[in-house]
Amino acid sequence: MVGLRGDLTADTVDDTRRVLLAALREAPEVLEIDVSRVTHLDPDGALALLLTARAAGDQGTRVSVTHARAQVTAVMRRTGLERYLAHGRSAR
């Protein structure tokens, strides 16, 4: 499980991506990303989640995003990320 916090924006996308890809190196069956402490997600920041979902799918890891606040869920829905990263359930 990886817990993210703060704002996920263009300013933080590189650091967020590094953290998530490091978690994938262990090749878990499911990578749970807890976003309960994420205060804001914008489309640029969502790129880190999309890139993680693609890398996870390439190695056969499922991704689960949990505890998303309404704003985070709304951005995931608007950007189409919910197809890859699901709130409270696993997606491939």
Side-chain angles (χ1 to χ4, degrees):
M1 198 259 311
V2 175
L4 300 179
R5 64 186 170 135
D7 293 343
L8 298 183
T9 64
D11 293 335
T12 62
V13 70
D14 290 334
D15 290 336
T16 302
R17 184 168 183 245
R18 267 193 290 280
V19 167
L20 294 173
L21 292 179
L24 284 178
R25 281 190 211 112
E26 297 177 20
E29 185 176 320
V30 177
L31 174 61
E32 179 184 339
I33 304 170
D34 181 345
V35 294
S36 61
R37 296 178 62 194
V38 171
T39 53
H40 179 76
L41 175 69
D42 72 12
D44 292 324
L47 180 61
L49 299 176
L50 175 62
L51 294 173
T52 299
R54 286 185 177 169
D58 289 346
Q59 72 181 35
T61 296
R62 292 177 296 145
V63 176
S64 175
V65 172
T66 60
H67 306 102
R69 297 176 185 204
Q71 189 275 331
V72 172
T73 301
V75 171
M76 287 173 43
R77 186 174 297 123
R78 255 192 340 267
T79 60
L81 270 177
E82 63 184 3
R83 289 179 291 193
Y84 303 99
L85 301 168
H87 173 69
R89 57 190 163 88
S90 296
R92 246 194 144 142

